[in-house]
Amino acid sequence: MSQWLASRRAVLSAMGLLVAPSAWLVSCARERVERAVVANPLAGPLVALLHKRRLARELGRAYLWGRSPGPDRNELVDQVLPLARQQELTSAPRWQLREAVRERIEADYRRGRPVSVAGWLLSETEASLCALTVADDD
Amino acid sequence: MLREVSEVPAGKKLEAQVCIVGAGAAGIVLARRLAALGISSVLLEAGGPEREHETQDLYKGRIVGASYFELHHTRLRYFGGTTNHWTGWCRPLEPIDFEERPWLRHGRWPITHEEVARYYSGAQEICDLGPPDYSPEFWSRRTGQPLLPLDPELATTSIWQFSTPTRFAKKYREEIAESTHVDAYLHANVVDLEPDKRGSRIEQVRVRDLDGHEIFVRPRVLVLAAGAIENARLLLASTQGNPAGLGNRHDVVGRYFMEHPHANIGALLTTLPPHELELYDDIYRLGEDAPPPAVRGALTVPEDVMRREGLMGFSAALEPKLQYPPLGSELTSGVEQLMRDLQGVEPLRTYQLYLRCEQAPRPDSRVMLDEKRDALGMRRVALDWRVGADSFASMKRSMELVAAGVSRAGLGRIYSFFHTDDEPRAGAWPAYTGGHHHMGTTRMGSDPTVSVVDGDCRVHGVDNLYVAGSSVFTTGGFGNPTLTIVALALRLGDHLEQQL
């Protein structure tokens, strides 16, 4: 009996392992559909970190130039902040959001792969944040 | 002894243990070294004691590749050679320059870094420099100036020492004139190197002044030390035995001409106040009593990163005088604001980034003989300088790494011209040019099909013919060549002592 129970548990565990990723994929797909419709609530607070929107927009346009179609608002938010941290930061104070962005910028530079924004070698996070101001206007 | 070649009776054949062609940095150092070892030499200088229009005219040539300096401006044909307009920048080659670098075709020296490095101390002394230490930490302590706190995984500091600059003619002319081991002749233009029938030994050198007065030198050993363009020209023009030129069985002489591409193609927008950049933004002078009189730091890529990423030598110096047009635009203001908003730092100043880089050796970058002839009847040269996409790609990537290193440390942001797929063009904005550093035309190597001299600087297949100077460089690094020219001349002196 105990042997049967043990093997049953094994079968159920194996099934669980197979089912879990599928469920996760379904949930991701649903999330993606929802995110396409609902703007990421972090977009506004992130753009608000930039005091002179007009200047940031110039950099954003330069970064997006030649990209068609360019990334949408939500994709840009994802480039600025990792998905894993977005939920915790949604209602975070401004200083905490800025700190999180700053960490991302440093990590970008540590990888040694800056992006060129009309010649200025910036982090992808910085460039995406500026591009968000363009998407914000659109 | 120092005298005019016209003082020697026409047609006379001078016997010499060693004959050195050219009294520039390499020739003077070699003659002095040999004299110190008790070996006599005949030192042939094509010019006089001062610059002369007619003599300088012999250096005229044609530019057929990338835009370049006039060939009679980039070299000086009189006693002291090009050290007469040398600006004094000194930096040795690094261990990585002598390593096998798979990303650099034909880039392997046949000698080790150590074989050259042990002569740098002597070279430092000859060039009136300080200790042969180029570590940024040493010079930061010595000057009391801070180093930029760059991320060592991305960027670091490289140091130059500055000679006063030493004017070799002024400093060593008297010594040579009084030496019992050196017979130096002025206006002694070498017009032909005459080998034996087999072409395996130089029998005599034909020497002529502009009035047609001709003599011969019959040396046991001949050393060409006339600069990278003229060394190649002399070999190519000496066609007895081989119409392609002496030592040119494999068509390598004159090829692999290298320069250090110099370019004003970047900028640093920094948060640092000027007093924290004193080691970088100009030549830092230590004072009269503490040689060397000056040092300077620049931004560079660490050697292990170069190895990992397959890069060539690179440096970016900070120049306070800004020349780059796009700066001052809305984009620049945007970057400044970004730094304020996200990092809480205030950008204070913008510096030009002046690049001094290594280029890959390539056979189609070359010195050739032209059809036109000079007043001595010798064919003039044509220079086809080529840098190549691989060298520009290396500069572009190096700029990215340095930018990341600077930005990660919170020191500022960097602007790079390399944001388009266009290569910089020589002589037109955005421009690159050379540094008057002529290298590689008689390159050193163990394979005669891709080199002209062996590890002892001896021309492959010609027993008693040697070359001194930067024409033997297999690769050029990013440091100025004079210090290594002097070190290699000292090394050649020791080798010749063993041979003689």
Side-chain angles (χ1 to χ4, degrees), chain B residues 53-71:
Chain B
H53 177 74
E54 296 79 10
T55 301
Q56 199 60 32
D57 183 270
L58 299 169
Y59 268 166
K60 277 185 179 167
R62 196 158 60 94
I63 305 299
V64 298
S67 174
Y68 197 66
F69 311 106
E70 296 278 2
L71 295 182

Side-chain angles (χ1 to χ4, degrees), chain B residues 96-110:
Chain B
I96 193 172
D97 295 314
F98 293 84
E99 290 171 10
E100 175 87 53
R101 287 183 280 173
W103 59 95
L104 209 59
R105 205 163 159 246
H106 307 311
R108 181 71 189 267
W109 288 67

Side-chain angles (χ1 to χ4, degrees), chain A residues 47-63 117 129-137, chain B residues 328-338 340-341:
Chain A
V47 167
L49 292 176
L50 305 171
H51 286 97
K52 294 194 176 170
R53 199 82 60 88
R54 180 180 57 80
L55 296 176
R57 207 176 296 128
E58 289 296 318
L59 287 170
R61 286 201 183 107
Y63 177 55
V117 179
L129 186 56
C130 292
L132 204 51
T133 63
V134 181
D136 200 40
D137 286 352
Chain B
S329 67
E330 293 272 281
L331 291 174
T332 307
S333 304
V335 174
E336 288 173 348
Q337 191 59 39
L338 209 54
R340 289 185 198 105
D341 290 342

Side-chain angles (χ1 to χ4, degrees), chain B residues 367-386:
Chain B
V367 169
M368 300 167 283
L369 291 183
D370 205 359
E371 291 308 313
K372 284 187 178 174
R373 290 180 185 268
D374 66 15
L376 293 163
M378 287 189 73
R379 288 173 69 182
R380 292 190 183 277
V381 289
L383 174 65
D384 185 352
W385 177 36
R386 299 179 189 210

Side-chain angles (χ1 to χ4, degrees), chain B residues 245-261:
Chain B
L246 201 56
N248 198 28
R249 202 150 58 95
H250 298 285
D251 188 24
V252 186
V253 173
R255 293 187 182 273
Y256 299 95
F257 174 85
M258 296 178 291
E259 249 284 7
H260 290 129

Side-chain angles (χ1 to χ4, degrees), chain A residues 19 33 52 74 99-100 132 136:
Chain A
V19 170
V33 170
K52 294 194 176 170
N74 290 342
E99 195 53 38
L132 204 51
D136 200 40

Side-chain angles (χ1 to χ4, degrees), chain A residues 14-89:
Chain A
M15 284 175 67
L17 283 173
L18 288 170
V19 170
S22 315
W24 179 77
L25 284 172
V26 169
S27 120
C28 283
R30 189 186 301 137
E31 188 187 0
R32 192 173 286 255
V33 170
E34 283 169 2
R35 283 158 55 81
V37 180
V38 182
N40 189 315
L42 276 169
L46 283 173
V47 167
L49 292 176
L50 305 171
H51 286 97
K52 294 194 176 170
R53 199 82 60 88
R54 180 180 57 80
L55 296 176
R57 207 176 296 128
E58 289 296 318
L59 287 170
R61 286 201 183 107
Y63 177 55
L64 294 172
W65 190 83
R67 293 179 173 204
S68 183
D72 67 25
R73 258 165 79 96
N74 290 342
E75 285 167 333
L76 287 169
V77 172
D78 292 349
Q79 282 172 19
V80 176
L81 289 171
L83 268 173
R85 293 204 64 191
Q86 285 182 18
Q87 192 157 1
E88 70 169 283
L89 291 167

Side-chain angles (χ1 to χ4, degrees), chain B residues 271 308 346 402 433:
Chain B
T271 57
R308 193 175 66 223
E346 184 61 33
V402 166
T433 185

